[in-house]
Amino acid sequence: MLDELRSAVARYVVAPSPEALDAVTLWIAATHLQPAWQHAPRLAIVAPTKACGKSRLLDVLHETVHDPFITVNSTPAAIFRSISEQPPTLLVDEADTIFGSVKVAEKNEEMRGLLNAGHQRNRPTTRVMGPEHKPVKFPTFAMAAIAGIGDLPDTIMDRAVVIRMRKRLETEHVDDFRTRTDVPFLQGVRDRLADWLAPLLEEASDLVPPMPVRDRAADTWEPLVAVADLAGGGWPQRARAACRVMTDREKGNDQDRGLKIRILVDIRAAFARHGNPSALPTDTLLHTLNAHPEAPWREHGPDGLTARRLQMLLGDYEVRSTNRRFPDGTQRRGYACADFTDAWNRYCPALEPAAPMPPGAQLALPPTAPGTGAAEASARHLPPVTTPKAGGPGLPPPPPGPGTGPRR
């Protein structure tokens, strides 16, 4: 049944990777067992521009998920009043009009809160109702697919299986989507899917599948992996492979989005490039960070990242600069490598081995006085700073084969 559903999705949508297609298939199937799950994973369908297939994927979801509830321009009040103990599947299109800018997102904070709360059971929203103004609790638990241009708020992306859609190439073909013929076909697939899963509700409720990831990622992917285990065959292995690949990919995107994670990764790379000394002077560290050609630090003001801004970025990790004496005999403020160890272990991906400094090389210190030309010399001799790879495999594999009907 999952093979049939996967083929039906691939008939109309070019998925960004085989893992993404497997994830969409399992997510659709999981909507038919929502009462069994502790968490309701979101499906974040995002793309860099329009015409990448987001709406077409939502069309397919609308005809295959359990009890679809389309929420274009729906108010949060209307949505949570539509959720019951047998929850529908929320489908939110054009999410960039809700969260596309800071000003617009502030006006839709209630919607973001609803989507966040609905990821877990027993997170109701309370409203005062009736002439007696009694507080009434409304359930929020429901699986949701959210489509938009650009990334969604971090709190939603963190609770989602992320599908990063792309524009089709001329060589990538899909079938035309005709309401008269294709909707009955997809609904037939949906009905057979529901007939298979309905008797398995109790079994699914008791299932605790071994997960290849931990914490919130495990909560989000557990329903998908559980459905794969119910299906058997090659699906358990494929589900866990998709889970690993796609969560690793998003870890890399999280690193790029969050400056407070990126600064840790780049500082770790700076220490590695200098041979992992016990401490680095603040001015040397800043010089190394600002010299990184692909990092955002040189854009933090006319002189790049400053000591004050660096201290602010590191404040949440309780890492601070102190006066230290260095091997060249100078005393200046700097950062100890040991102070970063806990933060690196908790927040950064595993570091790949980096090439050490050449034997006899000295720390590239910025000049202490202007006009000496030492800054240029330092920049020329500074080894390139690179961040560790954190996104798992590189480019996604080629998309699945084309559909079988009329081409467009």
Side-chain angles (χ1 to χ4, degrees), residues 245-285:
V245 170
M246 296 180 69
T247 53
D248 284 348
R249 206 169 280 160
E250 287 309 305
K251 285 179 183 177
N253 291 323
D254 287 341
Q255 172 191 320
D256 292 337
R257 284 198 300 266
L259 288 179
K260 290 191 175 183
I261 299 296
R262 178 64 184 266
I263 192 65
L264 286 178
V265 174
D266 285 1
I267 289 175
R268 184 173 63 176
F271 270 91
R273 286 304 183 188
H274 287 295
N276 288 316
S278 59
L280 276 179
T282 300
D283 49 3
T284 300
L285 183 57

Side-chain angles (χ1 to χ4, degrees), residues 278-355:
S278 59
L280 276 179
T282 300
D283 49 3
T284 300
L285 183 57
L286 289 171
H287 181 69
T288 306
L289 294 172
N290 289 324
H292 195 314
E294 297 181 359
W297 313 121
R298 64 173 64 185
E299 301 173 4
H300 282 244
D303 298 321
L305 188 65
T306 64
R308 173 62 178 163
R309 179 59 179 165
L310 176 61
Q311 187 64 77
M312 292 173 63
L313 289 172
L314 297 175
D316 290 343
Y317 306 118
E318 299 184 355
V319 177
R320 297 175 178 84
S321 64
T322 57
N323 285 321
R324 297 179 177 277
R325 185 171 296 278
F326 292 93
D328 61 357
T330 61
Q331 184 171 342
R332 57 178 71 179
R333 297 192 69 83
Y335 288 89
C337 183
D339 291 344
F340 289 98
T341 302
D342 184 71
W344 288 339
N345 290 337
R346 293 180 186 274
Y347 299 102
C348 298
L351 180 64
E352 293 185 354

Side-chain angles (χ1 to χ4, degrees), residues 204-221:
S205 300
D206 297 332
L207 196 60
V208 183
M211 297 297 297
V213 293
R214 299 190 305 171
D215 303 326
R216 181 160 286 164
D219 295 338
T220 297
W221 278 85

Side-chain angles (χ1 to χ4, degrees), residues 84-145:
S84 63
E85 294 303 321
Q86 296 292 328
T89 304
L90 306 180
L91 303 177
V92 183
D93 199 2
E94 299 183 0
D96 46 291
T97 63
I98 303 175
F99 307 114
S101 68
V102 175
K103 186 175 182 180
V104 172
E106 288 176 352
K107 296 180 180 179
N108 293 285
E109 187 66 20
E110 189 175 9
M111 174 67 82
R112 186 175 70 90
L114 173 63
L115 292 172
N116 289 342
H119 179 258
Q120 186 172 345
R121 286 196 178 277
N122 303 320
R123 297 295 186 271
T125 183
T126 304
R127 293 291 183 272
V128 174
M129 302 292 293
E132 298 181 358
H133 301 287
K134 290 185 176 180
V136 179
K137 293 183 178 181
F138 293 90
T140 61
F141 182 83
M143 292 178 65

Side-chain angles (χ1 to χ4, degrees), residues 389-408:
K389 296 180 181 179
L395 294 176
T404 56
R407 306 298 184 202
R408 63 171 174 84

